[in-house]
CSV table of all heavy atoms in Angstrom, one decimal:
chain,number,residue,atom,x,y,z
A,723,PRO,N,164.1,40.5,188.6
A,723,PRO,CA,163.7,39.1,188.9
A,723,PRO,C,163.1,38.9,190.3
A,723,PRO,O,162.1,38.2,190.5
A,723,PRO,CB,164.9,38.3,188.7
A,723,PRO,CG,165.8,39.1,187.8
A,723,PRO,CD,165.5,40.5,188.2
A,724,THR,N,163.7,39.6,191.3
A,724,THR,CA,163.2,39.4,192.6
A,724,THR,C,161.8,40.0,192.7
A,724,THR,O,160.9,39.4,193.3
A,724,THR,CB,164.1,40.1,193.6
A,724,THR,OG1,165.4,39.6,193.5
A,724,THR,CG2,163.6,40.0,195.1
A,725,ILE,N,161.6,41.2,192.2
A,725,ILE,CA,160.3,41.9,192.2
A,725,ILE,C,159.3,41.0,191.5
A,725,ILE,O,158.2,40.8,192.0
A,725,ILE,CB,160.4,43.3,191.6
A,725,ILE,CG1,161.3,44.1,192.5
A,725,ILE,CG2,159.0,43.9,191.5
A,725,ILE,CD1,161.6,45.5,191.9
A,726,ALA,N,159.6,40.5,190.3
A,726,ALA,CA,158.7,39.8,189.5
A,726,ALA,C,158.3,38.5,190.1
A,726,ALA,O,157.1,38.1,190.1
A,726,ALA,CB,159.3,39.5,188.1
A,727,THR,N,159.2,37.9,190.8
A,727,THR,CA,158.9,36.6,191.4
A,727,THR,C,158.0,36.8,192.6
A,727,THR,O,157.1,36.0,192.9
A,727,THR,CB,160.2,35.9,191.9
A,727,THR,OG1,161.1,35.7,190.8
A,727,THR,CG2,160.0,34.5,192.6
A,728,ALA,N,158.2,37.9,193.4
A,728,ALA,CA,157.4,38.2,194.6
A,728,ALA,C,156.0,38.5,194.2
A,728,ALA,O,155.1,38.2,194.9
A,728,ALA,CB,158.0,39.3,195.4
A,729,ALA,N,155.8,39.2,193.0
A,729,ALA,CA,154.5,39.6,192.6
A,729,ALA,C,153.7,40.3,193.8
A,729,ALA,O,152.5,40.2,193.9
A,729,ALA,CB,153.6,38.5,192.0
A,730,ASP,N,154.4,41.1,194.5
A,730,ASP,CA,153.8,41.8,195.7
A,730,ASP,C,154.1,43.3,195.5
A,730,ASP,O,155.2,43.7,195.5
A,730,ASP,CB,154.4,41.2,197.0
A,730,ASP,CG,153.9,42.0,198.2
A,730,ASP,OD1,153.5,43.1,198.1
A,730,ASP,OD2,154.0,41.4,199.3
A,731,ARG,N,153.0,44.0,195.2
A,731,ARG,CA,153.2,45.5,194.9
A,731,ARG,C,154.0,46.2,196.0
A,731,ARG,O,154.9,47.0,195.8
A,731,ARG,CB,151.9,46.1,194.7
A,731,ARG,CG,151.3,45.7,193.4
A,731,ARG,CD,150.0,46.4,193.1
A,731,ARG,NE,149.2,45.6,192.1
A,731,ARG,CZ,148.0,45.6,192.0
A,731,ARG,NH1,147.2,46.3,192.8
A,731,ARG,NH2,147.4,45.0,191.1
A,732,GLU,N,153.6,46.0,197.3
A,732,GLU,CA,154.2,46.7,198.4
A,732,GLU,C,155.7,46.4,198.5
A,732,GLU,O,156.6,47.2,198.6
A,732,GLU,CB,153.5,46.3,199.7
A,732,GLU,CG,154.0,47.2,200.9
A,732,GLU,CD,153.3,46.8,202.2
A,732,GLU,OE1,152.0,46.7,202.1
A,732,GLU,OE2,154.0,46.7,203.2
A,733,PHE,N,156.0,45.1,198.3
A,733,PHE,CA,157.4,44.6,198.3
A,733,PHE,C,158.1,45.2,197.1
A,733,PHE,O,159.2,45.7,197.3
A,733,PHE,CB,157.4,43.1,198.3
A,733,PHE,CG,158.8,42.5,198.1
A,733,PHE,CD1,159.7,42.5,199.1
A,733,PHE,CD2,159.2,42.1,196.8
A,733,PHE,CE1,161.0,42.0,199.0
A,733,PHE,CE2,160.6,41.6,196.7
A,733,PHE,CZ,161.4,41.6,197.8
A,734,GLY,N,157.5,45.2,195.9
A,734,GLY,CA,158.2,45.8,194.8
A,734,GLY,C,158.5,47.2,194.9
A,734,GLY,O,159.6,47.7,194.6
A,735,ALA,N,157.5,48.0,195.5
A,735,ALA,CA,157.8,49.4,195.7
A,735,ALA,C,158.9,49.6,196.7
A,735,ALA,O,159.8,50.5,196.6
A,735,ALA,CB,156.5,50.1,196.2
A,736,ARG,N,158.9,48.8,197.8
A,736,ARG,CA,160.0,48.9,198.8
A,736,ARG,C,161.4,48.6,198.2
A,736,ARG,O,162.3,49.3,198.5
A,736,ARG,CB,159.7,48.0,200.0
A,736,ARG,CG,160.6,48.2,201.2
A,736,ARG,CD,160.2,47.4,202.4
A,736,ARG,NE,160.4,46.0,202.2
A,736,ARG,CZ,159.4,45.1,202.2
A,736,ARG,NH1,158.1,45.5,202.3
A,736,ARG,NH2,159.6,43.8,202.0
A,737,VAL,N,161.5,47.5,197.4
A,737,VAL,CA,162.7,47.2,196.8
A,737,VAL,C,163.2,48.3,195.8
A,737,VAL,O,164.3,48.7,195.8
A,737,VAL,CB,162.6,45.9,196.0
A,737,VAL,CG1,163.9,45.6,195.2
A,737,VAL,CG2,162.4,44.7,197.0
A,738,LEU,N,162.2,48.9,195.1
A,738,LEU,CA,162.6,50.0,194.2
A,738,LEU,C,163.1,51.2,195.0
A,738,LEU,O,164.1,51.9,194.6
A,738,LEU,CB,161.4,50.4,193.3
A,738,LEU,CG,161.1,49.5,192.2
A,738,LEU,CD1,159.8,49.9,191.5
A,738,LEU,CD2,162.3,49.5,191.2
A,739,ARG,N,162.4,51.5,196.1
A,739,ARG,CA,162.8,52.7,196.9
A,739,ARG,C,164.2,52.4,197.5
A,739,ARG,O,165.1,53.3,197.4
A,739,ARG,CB,161.9,52.9,198.1
A,739,ARG,CG,160.7,53.8,197.8
A,739,ARG,CD,160.0,54.2,199.0
A,739,ARG,NE,159.3,53.1,199.7
A,739,ARG,CZ,158.2,52.5,199.4
A,739,ARG,NH1,157.5,53.0,198.5
A,739,ARG,NH2,157.7,51.6,200.2
A,740,GLU,N,164.5,51.2,197.9
A,740,GLU,CA,165.8,50.9,198.4
A,740,GLU,C,166.9,50.9,197.3
A,740,GLU,O,168.0,51.3,197.5
A,740,GLU,CB,165.8,49.5,199.1
A,740,GLU,CG,165.0,49.6,200.4
A,740,GLU,CD,164.8,48.2,201.0
A,740,GLU,OE1,165.2,47.2,200.5
A,740,GLU,OE2,164.0,48.1,202.0
A,741,THR,N,166.5,50.5,196.1
A,741,THR,CA,167.4,50.6,194.9
A,741,THR,C,167.7,52.0,194.6
A,741,THR,O,168.8,52.4,194.3
A,741,THR,CB,166.7,49.9,193.7
A,741,THR,OG1,166.5,48.5,194.0
A,741,THR,CG2,167.7,49.9,192.5
A,742,PHE,N,166.7,52.9,194.7
A,742,PHE,CA,166.9,54.3,194.3
A,742,PHE,C,167.5,55.1,195.5
A,742,PHE,O,168.0,56.2,195.3
A,742,PHE,CB,165.6,55.0,193.9
A,742,PHE,CG,165.3,54.8,192.5
A,742,PHE,CD1,164.4,53.8,192.0
A,742,PHE,CD2,165.9,55.5,191.5
A,742,PHE,CE1,164.1,53.6,190.7
A,742,PHE,CE2,165.6,55.4,190.1
A,742,PHE,CZ,164.7,54.4,189.8
A,743,GLN,N,167.5,54.6,196.7
A,743,GLN,CA,167.9,55.3,197.9
A,743,GLN,C,169.3,55.9,197.7
A,743,GLN,O,169.6,57.0,198.0
A,743,GLN,CB,167.9,54.5,199.1
A,743,GLN,CG,168.0,55.2,200.4
A,743,GLN,CD,166.9,56.2,200.6
A,743,GLN,OE1,165.7,55.9,200.3
A,743,GLN,NE2,167.2,57.4,201.1
A,744,PRO,N,170.3,55.1,197.2
A,744,PRO,CA,171.6,55.7,197.0
A,744,PRO,C,171.7,56.7,195.9
A,744,PRO,O,172.8,57.3,195.7
A,744,PRO,CB,172.5,54.4,196.6
A,744,PRO,CG,171.6,53.2,196.8
A,744,PRO,CD,170.2,53.7,196.8
A,745,PHE,N,170.6,56.9,195.2
A,745,PHE,CA,170.7,57.8,194.0
A,745,PHE,C,171.1,59.2,194.3
A,745,PHE,O,172.0,59.8,193.7
A,745,PHE,CB,169.3,57.8,193.4
A,745,PHE,CG,169.1,58.5,192.1
A,745,PHE,CD1,170.1,58.4,191.1
A,745,PHE,CD2,168.0,59.4,191.9
A,745,PHE,CE1,170.0,59.2,189.9
A,745,PHE,CE2,167.9,60.1,190.7
A,745,PHE,CZ,168.9,60.0,189.8
A,746,SER,N,170.5,59.8,195.4
A,746,SER,CA,170.8,61.2,195.7
A,746,SER,C,172.3,61.3,196.2
A,746,SER,O,173.0,62.3,195.9
A,746,SER,CB,169.8,61.8,196.7
A,746,SER,OG,169.9,61.0,197.9
A,747,THR,N,172.7,60.3,196.9
A,747,THR,CA,174.1,60.3,197.4
A,747,THR,C,175.1,60.2,196.2
A,747,THR,O,176.1,60.9,196.0
A,747,THR,CB,174.4,59.1,198.3
A,747,THR,OG1,173.5,59.2,199.4
A,747,THR,CG2,175.8,59.1,198.8
A,748,LEU,N,174.7,59.4,195.2
A,748,LEU,CA,175.5,59.2,194.0
A,748,LEU,C,175.6,60.5,193.2
A,748,LEU,O,176.6,60.9,192.7
A,748,LEU,CB,174.9,58.1,193.1
A,748,LEU,CG,175.6,57.7,191.9
A,748,LEU,CD1,177.0,57.3,192.2
A,748,LEU,CD2,174.9,56.6,191.1
A,749,VAL,N,174.5,61.2,193.1
A,749,VAL,CA,174.5,62.5,192.4
A,749,VAL,C,175.5,63.5,193.1
A,749,VAL,O,176.3,64.1,192.4
A,749,VAL,CB,173.1,63.1,192.3
A,749,VAL,CG1,173.2,64.6,191.8
A,749,VAL,CG2,172.2,62.3,191.4
A,750,ARG,N,175.4,63.5,194.4
A,750,ARG,CA,176.3,64.4,195.1
A,750,ARG,C,177.8,64.0,194.9
A,750,ARG,O,178.7,64.8,194.7
A,750,ARG,CB,176.0,64.4,196.6
A,750,ARG,CG,174.7,65.3,196.9
A,750,ARG,CD,174.6,65.6,198.3
A,750,ARG,NE,173.5,65.1,199.1
A,750,ARG,CZ,172.3,64.7,198.7
A,750,ARG,NH1,171.9,64.7,197.5
A,750,ARG,NH2,171.3,64.3,199.6
A,751,GLU,N,178.0,62.7,194.9
A,751,GLU,CA,179.4,62.2,194.6
A,751,GLU,C,179.9,62.5,193.2
A,751,GLU,O,181.0,63.0,193.1
A,751,GLU,CB,179.5,60.7,194.9
A,751,GLU,CG,179.4,60.3,196.3
A,751,GLU,CD,179.3,58.8,196.5
A,751,GLU,OE1,179.4,58.0,195.5
A,751,GLU,OE2,179.0,58.4,197.7
A,752,LEU,N,179.0,62.4,192.3
A,752,LEU,CA,179.4,62.7,190.9
A,752,LEU,C,179.7,64.2,190.7
A,752,LEU,O,180.6,64.6,190.0
A,752,LEU,CB,178.3,62.2,189.9
A,752,LEU,CG,178.3,60.7,189.7
A,752,LEU,CD1,177.0,60.3,189.0
A,752,LEU,CD2,179.5,60.2,188.9
A,753,GLU,N,178.8,65.0,191.4
A,753,GLU,CA,179.0,66.5,191.3
A,753,GLU,C,180.3,66.8,192.0
A,753,GLU,O,181.1,67.7,191.4
A,753,GLU,CB,177.9,67.2,192.0
A,753,GLU,CG,176.6,67.2,191.2
A,753,GLU,CD,175.4,67.9,192.0
A,753,GLU,OE1,175.5,67.9,193.3
A,753,GLU,OE2,174.5,68.3,191.3
A,754,ALA,N,180.7,66.2,193.1
A,754,ALA,CA,182.0,66.5,193.7
A,754,ALA,C,183.1,66.1,192.8
A,754,ALA,O,184.1,66.9,192.7
A,754,ALA,CB,182.0,65.8,195.1
Side-chain angles (χ1 to χ4, degrees):
T724 303
I725 294 170
T727 302
D730 176 336
R731 290 181 195 154
E732 186 178 319
F733 173 76
R736 190 172 66 247
V737 170
L738 284 173
R739 274 193 295 278
E740 290 169 6
T741 300
F742 274 101
Q743 193 66 38
F745 184 45
S746 57
T747 304
L748 183 57
V749 170
R750 288 194 244 331
E751 288 172 6
L752 287 168
E753 284 176 337

